[in-house]
Amino acid sequence: MVKTVLDKGWLAARSTEVEINGVQLTTTQPPTQPLNSPWMEAAVPGTVLGTLLKNKLIPDPFYGLGNESIIDIADSGREHYTFWFFTTFECKLSNNQHVDLNFRAINYSAEVYLNGHKKVLPKGMFRRHSIDITDILHPDGQNLLAVLVYPPDHPGRIPPEGGQGGDHEIGKDVAAQYVEGWDWMTPIRDRNTGIWDEVSITVTGPVKIVDPHLASSFFDGYKRVYLHSTVELVNKNALVAECSLNIQVSTELQDGTFLVEHLETQHVSISAGATIHYTFPQLYFYKPNLWWPNSMGKQHLYNVEITVNVKGYGESDSWSHHFGFRKIESHIDSATGGRLFKVNDQPIFIRGGNWILSDGLLRLSKERYKTDIRFHADMNFNMMRCWGGGLAERPEFYHYCDLYGLLVWQEFWITGDCDGRGDPVSNPDGPLDHDLFLLCARDTIKLLRNHPSLALWVGGNEQVPPPDINAALKNDLQLHPYYLNSNSSGTSTIIPVIKDPSQYLDGTRVYVQGSMWDGFADGKGDFSDGPYEIQNPEDFFKHDYYQYAFNPEVGNVGMPVAATIRATMPPEGWQIPLFKKLSNGYIEEVPNPIWTYHKYIPYSKPEKVHDQILLYGKPKDLDDFCLKAQLVNYVQYRALLEGYTSQMWCKYTGVLIWKTQNPWTGLRGQIYDHLLDQTAGFYGCRSAAEPIHVQLNLATYSVEVVNTTSEELSNVSIEASVWDLEGECPYYKTSEKLIVPPKKTVSTFEMKYPKSKNPKPVYFLLLKLYDVSDNRIYSRNFYWLHLTGGDYKLLESFRERRPPLKITSLTFIKGSSYEMRMHIQNTSKKPDSNAPLYRNNFIRRNGSCDELDSAESFDLLDGEKHEISLYEKIRRNFSREHNKAKVSEVNGTGKGVAFFLHFSIHASKEENKKGEDTRILPVHYSDNYFSLVPGEVMTVTISFEVPPGVTPRVTLHGWNHHDVHTVL
């Protein structure tokens, strides 16, 4: 198969401004683009709003109050957002070749005109369309294509008070429901109308391959594994096709070298014009490399290629897909009542995030998906939930989840607010066309089912589908007998079954009817997820904090850094909230109107939680407010995950944060912002979700060790050191040797410092879990704490106590890709240089421990997880910029903790416009927002892409390094 993606050269025009029809557009009167023409450059894939923004015909809906200046479809009428899209393409066929025009998704329906011929694309946002255009191509190979795209049938109206899903009318269509607005999102004015996913033409011979299905079965403790595959074959000829059908399974070793594990050939005869389903004989593998979720093991992927050769023609079509051998199961745990997941027979404690979509204008790209998914892996997460009001995510999304080991919970397009609940109460019968919903669901299943990262299907968010749809989905997604029970005990023979697993629509993953049913939340569909706002950090650890075992949605704050506010809002949006004191002593935050519009969530909850930003003192300006917000973000998200992990398996089986990001420039519940800069909460999550982790239970003040791995942790010890604001260490303790069983959280000893004589009102606590035999660190965790009833206001004067730093950097460059290693040392005087504290200057990263004594050791984060040596990685991918490391000294005024340091990368320019955002984004940091005690050393690895012609500049900022230091 030869595939050509049509993603360039598109034009667009509003239908009411085009006076000719589709036949004329694609024959005698193709559009041009003169001045005053209705035609403009189009965003395809994309939406009408994206096209208008590209041509600067609307204000940026993501900037300030720009969205308020864009007319809503409810006021303009559907015609205003009904658009023509036009392009040309070359395609000239040889004998017995056939060509299809493919739309992977449009919203919501369309008319397609090609060289004067009309085809209709029926309704539905989540369905593929394929049109055989062989007989209507121009003989000279020059072809004209026009597509008239209609918005959803029921775009709805936004009530003055806003609300979840507007007036809920969008629920009558099979479309994304978030577009009418939510409490974290403003309405999308065109309701995402457009050709929003890939358009392509594919050329094949007489026989075409359609939607192969791959499945695997496991026996004898995963020593005996079978690959099952069924393929649909379409004979487009008027003659019988005698076919040689091949399946090849290979694995990449390194340097582009592939090892062929299996090659099987079968003969198939297909009648003229017929479509058949052919099931290959199962392929046997002995102990193949398994695919594991993030932090459980490696993401081994095999390449499966299927080709069909037709007698008298040659190769007619081919198809390939990455495939991972893994078995995923879930059931309701009898001990906790929560849903428990197992991968390859190993229980996995779920720590992940809720996901809406990458961008509200559907500007979806492989590059953005890669960053989004890698960010989740960087946080040590193992699951992403694709929320029912958003998208059926695209294959590129799943590709990167496969690579990075993120399990995916994929919901269908049902939400409580639009499908039976909400204010006003919405229609409980789902979309008007149930058959269309099921058609889209089945097509989505075929599109995504071969990805190992796909973990489960869920009927809807906080609601179940209507009974007939739910029953059909349960039937369509019933488990094959191989997947009903674990084979961990091993069997010597294959269980006899009627059908091969690959003959099922899916059959390998469980279907759950709703996000709060069957082991999630209370399991019965009552509103029992959340909460969604600021909390007292210690409350996360209390046994009565959350009643149920698996919380599918728990939210929190998400203020970004000040540079993001300035980049996404005009100056009137830079005003920080007013702090209004109430009669009960609590503070109410009053944000400016632009923050309110962008769904700002306060850092206080009167009558429950005192303002957490004011604990650090009243902020002076935007920079001060956002920096203090990052302190709170870190504390909140770390405590959230540590609180759940503290009661791992004894009370909880999993938790998903609401949400990890926003599909626009919102200020509510996010761990990184829409510009792809991380908040400090990102690194709080990264710390808390380590596979092996040491933590302080903020409710009991006991030190706990979390081991989520499958291996026992032995011969380890905990080092606890307390540091005051003067740089002294008034408390130091090492524990006895510990043994921590696999999949277990163990409480060790109680911290005695706050109960000792004359404790400091504000202090730092550094916990390290290390191997006694070689001082290797498994986990390092740094806290800032105050006495009960106190606050952090003493940290304000601590900002002037600036300890000296020494930063050694190595840089490797390949084209526009940079990899940097920043080796940071707090060079202020150590209280006792012989203490064990200074023997274990190691840092855990990506499951391995790197010694920091040598600045020449450099562990690259190449993002693709190839198993190659460090030397090969450097030699093959990068050239060293300098033979020697660069050293930067940051002078200080005294000893003490270097607190809350964070790097950022900027474009180095001779002249910057005032207020210009010079950040280079995205950037992947092995750690950020970190602190160093006197004498301590840490290494931070940084990777990023640089725009053409730009030289990067690395800066360091910190709480008590408030001047921005350029270190490279």
Side-chain angles (χ1 to χ4, degrees):
M1 176 181 71
V2 178
K3 177 179 176 180
T4 303
V5 176
L6 306 181
D7 59 356
K8 295 179 177 64
W10 286 86
L11 299 176
R14 184 169 282 112
S15 63
T16 54
E17 298 176 4
V18 177
E19 297 178 352
I20 56 177
N21 59 36
V23 173
Q24 294 168 303
L25 282 172
T26 58
T27 53
T28 60
Q29 295 177 261
T32 57
Q33 200 179 7
L35 291 174
N36 302 318
S37 166
W39 294 93
M40 65 193 84
E41 291 185 15
V44 176
T47 64
V48 169
L49 221 57
T51 288
L52 294 173
L53 180 59
K54 181 176 183 176
N55 291 275
K56 300 181 180 179
L57 296 175
I58 57 171
D60 186 348
F62 289 14
Y63 183 84
L65 299 178
N67 197 52
E68 287 295 277
S69 300
I70 303 172
I71 190 168
D72 192 81
I73 193 171
D75 301 312
S76 67
R78 293 175 67 245
E79 303 81 10
H80 186 76
Y81 289 112
T82 300
F83 264 62
W84 281 105
F85 294 88
F86 177 88
T87 194
T88 62
F89 64 89
E90 293 185 13
C91 183
K92 197 168 184 178
L93 300 181
S94 303
N95 259 353
N96 218 354
Q97 284 187 319
H98 299 261
V99 61
D100 290 312
L101 173 63
N102 310 293
F103 295 85
R104 206 164 65 179
I106 59 102
N107 188 31
Y108 184 63
S109 60
E111 298 171 11
V112 176
Y113 295 85
L114 179 64
N115 302 332
H117 297 265
K118 178 182 177 181
K119 300 286 184 180
V120 174
L121 300 187
K123 299 173 182 178
M125 185 175 179
F126 304 107
R127 64 186 298 181
R128 295 170 294 170
H129 307 271
S130 186
I131 306 169
D132 190 331
I133 58 173
T134 306
D135 296 333
I136 56 178
L137 291 180
H138 276 160
D140 65 0
Q142 301 296 318
N143 301 280
L144 285 72
L145 172 64
V147 186
L148 181 61
V149 180
Y150 295 95
D153 291 348
H154 302 88
R157 180 170 293 277
I158 314 305
E161 65 276 10
Q164 312 287 77
D167 63 1
H168 315 310
E169 283 291 293
I170 195 70
K172 293 180 179 179
D173 296 333
V174 184
Q177 298 181 358
Y178 80 96
V179 291
E180 280 201 69
W182 228 263
D183 60 3
W184 41 264
M185 183 77 188
T186 55
I188 302 295
R189 300 305 188 186
D190 68 346
R191 307 296 189 262
N192 281 160
T193 300
I195 307 172
W196 68 274
D197 200 3
E198 180 185 273
V199 185
S200 67
I201 54 171
T202 50
V203 178
T204 68
V207 174
K208 177 184 177 182
I209 296 172
V210 178
D211 290 335
H213 185 201
L214 308 176
S216 50
S217 56
F218 306 88
F219 304 92
D220 300 334
Y222 293 83
K223 294 178 182 177
R224 187 156 50 95
V225 178
Y226 296 88
L227 176 66
H228 308 266
S229 48
T230 293
V231 62
E232 181 180 331
L233 300 170
V234 180
N235 183 4
K236 295 191 171 189
N237 261 13
L239 300 172
V240 173
E242 300 296 335
C243 303
S244 175
L245 189 61
N246 308 301
I247 183 169
Q248 177 179 294
V249 183
S250 59
T251 184
E252 184 175 3
L253 300 178
Q254 65 179 46
D255 294 323
T257 302
F258 288 83
L259 173 67
V260 176
E261 301 256 357
H262 273 285
L263 178 59
E264 182 85 15
T265 301
Q266 297 291 313
H267 178 266
V268 181
S269 181
I270 310 175
S271 301
T275 297
I276 68 168
H277 287 82
Y278 180 81
T279 301
F280 283 94
Q282 59 193 23
L283 300 179
Y284 169 67
F285 293 77
Y286 178 71
K287 296 177 68 174
N289 292 321
L290 300 180
W291 184 94
W292 291 95
N294 188 34
S295 299
M296 287 186 72
K298 295 178 180 177
Q299 290 73 53
H300 288 288
L301 293 170
Y302 291 78
N303 189 58
V304 179
E305 184 175 7
I306 298 173
T307 58
V308 57
N309 294 277
V310 177
K311 186 177 181 181
Y313 178 84
E315 184 175 301
S316 178
D317 200 4
S318 64
W319 175 92
S320 64
H321 202 284
H322 283 112
F323 183 75
F325 286 106
R326 69 100 180 92
K327 183 177 183 180
I328 184 159
E329 304 166 273
S330 73
H331 63 272
I332 299 176
D333 178 40
S334 59
T336 62
R339 185 157 289 272
L340 187 151
F341 287 84
K342 295 172 71 176
V343 178
N344 304 331
D345 283 338
Q346 292 294 324
I348 174 172
F349 187 74
I350 298 297
R351 292 176 291 189
N354 283 268
W355 170 264
I356 314 302
L357 68 160
S358 188
D359 178 75
L361 298 187
L362 301 187
R363 294 169 292 191
L364 311 178
S365 68
K366 291 180 180 178
E367 294 76 19
R368 176 126 193 162
Y369 272 136
K370 180 178 180 179
T371 297
D372 281 319
I373 305 309
R374 185 174 169 187
F375 273 176
H376 287 74
D378 287 347
M379 287 187 283
N380 294 309
F381 284 0
N382 52 34
M383 179 175 278
M384 297 172 70
R385 172 195 172 207
C386 293
W387 177 75
L391 300 183
E393 266 301 354
R394 302 296 87 197
E396 291 79 11
F397 171 92
Y398 277 90
H399 168 72
Y400 288 111
C401 287
D402 293 344
L403 284 181
Y404 289 108
L406 273 298
L407 297 173
V408 184
W409 154 341
Q410 178 68 64
E411 288 180 2
F412 296 108
W413 317 286
I414 296 289
T415 68
D417 291 280
C418 290
D419 297 289
R421 298 184 180 186
D423 182 16
V425 175
S426 54
N427 170 30
D429 296 326
L432 297 180
D433 190 337
H434 288 199
D435 289 338
L436 173 60
F437 185 98
L438 288 169
L439 186 153
C440 289
R442 290 163 182 150
D443 195 56
T444 296
I445 292 165
K446 291 178 181 179
L447 179 68
L448 303 177
R449 62 190 176 185
N450 293 318
H451 289 277
S453 56
L454 178 56
L456 77 161
W457 303 101
V458 177
N461 164 65
E462 297 177 349
Q463 183 63 298
V464 298
D468 59 323
I469 292 178
N470 196 39
L473 290 173
K474 284 182 177 179
N475 182 67
D476 288 346
L477 293 169
Q478 60 181 308
L479 290 175
H480 187 276
Y482 286 164
Y483 305 92
L484 289 175
N485 296 294
S486 172
N487 286 319
S488 56
S489 59
T491 56
S492 58
T493 58
I494 297 177
I495 304 170
V497 292
I498 298 173
K499 292 173 67 176
D500 185 277
S502 63
Q503 294 174 356
Y504 277 53
L505 179 64
D506 186 335
T508 67
R509 302 167 178 90
V510 70
Y511 167 75
V512 176
Q513 60 186 337
S515 67
M516 299 193 299
W517 279 259
D518 303 328
F520 299 123
D522 77 341
K524 302 174 184 177
D526 296 326
F527 277 108
S528 48
D529 44 16
Y532 298 94
E533 64 282 306
I534 197 82
Q535 302 290 309
N536 293 308
E538 64 273 14
D539 289 349
F540 291 110
F541 294 84
K542 295 177 180 177
H543 195 73
D544 60 355
Y545 167 70
Y546 182 71
Q547 185 176 350
Y548 309 108
F550 195 119
N551 194 340
E553 295 184 13
V554 55
N556 213 282
V557 292
M559 192 66 188
V561 297
T564 292
I565 296 297
R566 292 191 175 97
T568 57
M569 296 179 187
E572 54 267 31
W574 304 351
Q575 300 301 312
I576 66 175
L578 300 175
F579 296 97
K580 180 182 176 182
K581 189 168 185 178
L582 305 178
S583 59
N584 59 7
Y586 284 85
I587 298 294
E588 177 186 357
E589 291 185 14
V590 183
N592 70 64
I594 298 180
W595 285 25
T596 299
Y597 190 78
H598 284 253
K599 315 295 185 179
Y600 173 76
I601 184 169
Y603 282 68
S604 65
K605 187 177 181 182
E607 299 185 7
K608 182 172 174 25
V609 182
H610 285 285
D611 195 288
Q612 297 294 289
I613 285 179
L614 291 182
L615 289 180
Y616 298 89
K618 189 173 181 180
K620 298 182 286 292
D621 52 25
L622 179 65
D623 292 285
D624 195 31
F625 182 92
C626 289
L627 178 59
K628 287 172 177 173
Q630 300 318 310
L631 288 161
V632 181
N633 291 345
Y634 193 105
V635 170
Q636 288 286 310
Y637 283 102
R638 177 177 60 181
L640 189 162
L641 288 181
E642 287 183 341
Y644 276 90
T645 309
S646 177
Q647 301 182 69
M648 178 176 70
W649 305 128
C650 63
K651 181 179 179 183
Y652 299 128
T653 61
V655 59
L656 299 174
I657 292 173
W658 182 266
K659 319 177 274 12
T660 52
Q661 49 77 250
N662 283 301
W664 78 306
T665 50
L667 302 179
R668 188 181 189 92
Q670 60 187 351
I671 310 175
Y672 63 93
D673 63 44
H674 192 259
L675 302 185
L676 299 177
D677 199 356
Q678 302 99 330
T679 76
F682 185 103
Y683 298 97
C685 288
R686 179 182 176 89
S687 171
E690 290 177 305
I692 298 171
H693 182 62
V694 61
Q695 65 186 36
L696 179 68
N697 185 312
L698 296 178
T700 65
Y701 255 57
S702 62
V703 176
E704 300 170 337
V705 179
V706 179
N707 181 11
T708 64
T709 74
S710 301
E711 303 295 328
E712 180 181 86
L713 200 59
S714 60
N715 200 36
V716 295
S717 181
I718 297 169
E719 177 187 81
S721 57
V722 169
W723 299 82
D724 61 25
L725 301 187
E726 285 71 46
E728 301 298 332
C729 182
Y731 177 90
Y732 180 86
K733 175 182 175 62
T734 56
S735 71
E736 300 294 329
K737 289 183 183 179
L738 303 171
I739 295 177
V740 185
K743 313 288 184 182
K744 189 80 173 176
T745 297
V746 173
S747 181
T748 60
F749 61 88
E750 182 183 355
M751 275 293 299
K752 298 296 185 182
Y753 176 76
K755 298 179 181 179
S756 62
K757 293 181 180 179
N758 302 318
K760 299 299 177 74
V762 175
Y763 60 96
F764 304 110
L765 171 64
L766 176 61
L767 297 176
K768 291 183 179 180
L769 176 70
Y770 66 98
D771 190 304
V772 174
S773 61
D774 59 9
N775 292 327
R776 186 167 42 119
I777 288 182
Y778 288 100
S779 175
R780 174 190 182 278
N781 205 349
F782 184 88
Y783 295 84
W784 51 100
L785 301 164
H786 62 71
L787 298 182
T788 303
D791 56 39
Y792 295 112
K793 290 175 183 174
L794 286 176
L795 286 175
E796 193 64 43
S797 59
F798 179 68
R799 299 181 79 164
E800 304 308 316
R801 182 181 290 271
R802 188 173 70 174
L805 300 174
K806 180 180 179 181
I807 303 167
T808 305
S809 60
L810 284 173
T811 302
F812 296 91
I813 304 172
K814 180 187 178 184
S816 62
S817 299
Y818 276 68
E819 299 278 354
M820 293 180 172
R821 182 169 188 164
M822 313 301 293
H823 183 84
I824 311 104
Q825 182 177 11
N826 180 345
T827 57
S828 63
K829 185 180 177 182
K830 308 171 187 177
D832 180 2
S833 60
N834 295 318
L837 178 71
Y838 301 105
R839 296 180 193 159
N840 51 15
N841 279 325
F842 299 74
I843 186 166
R844 180 179 174 81
R845 184 170 63 252
N846 289 343
S848 63
C849 297
D850 298 327
E851 188 167 356
L852 303 187
D853 290 339
S854 171
E856 290 297 309
S857 65
F858 194 105
D859 184 18
L860 296 174
L861 301 176
D862 66 350
E864 298 293 342
K865 299 192 176 182
H866 296 305
E867 289 183 80
I868 55 179
S869 70
L870 173 62
Y871 173 77
E872 282 296 313
K873 196 178 294 184
I874 296 173
R875 182 190 64 79
R876 194 179 75 184
N877 288 335
F878 291 90
S879 62
R880 182 170 296 186
E881 185 187 31
H882 299 292
N883 291 327
K884 294 184 177 180
K886 287 187 176 181
V887 178
S888 300
E889 300 275 356
V890 179
N891 294 326
T893 55
K895 68 178 183 180
V897 172
F899 182 49
F900 216 53
L901 301 171
H902 60 96
F903 286 107
S904 58
I905 313 298
H906 298 262
S908 182
K909 298 181 180 179
E910 291 184 5
E911 293 184 6
N912 291 326
K913 297 178 183 178
K914 187 177 181 180
E916 181 182 1
D917 186 7
T918 62
R919 289 174 298 170
I920 293 174
L921 297 171
V923 181
H924 299 274
Y925 302 92
S926 62
D927 205 351
N928 220 355
Y929 294 98
F930 57 93
S931 303
L932 296 173
V933 303
E936 197 180 16
V937 179
M938 177 177 285
T939 291
V940 174
T941 304
I942 307 172
S943 61
F944 54 93
E945 296 285 328
V946 170
V950 170
T951 300
R953 175 170 55 93
V954 183
T955 65
L956 181 68
H957 188 275
W959 181 262
N960 52 351
H961 282 275
H962 37 87
D963 296 328
V964 176
H965 302 288
T966 299
V967 296
L968 188 66

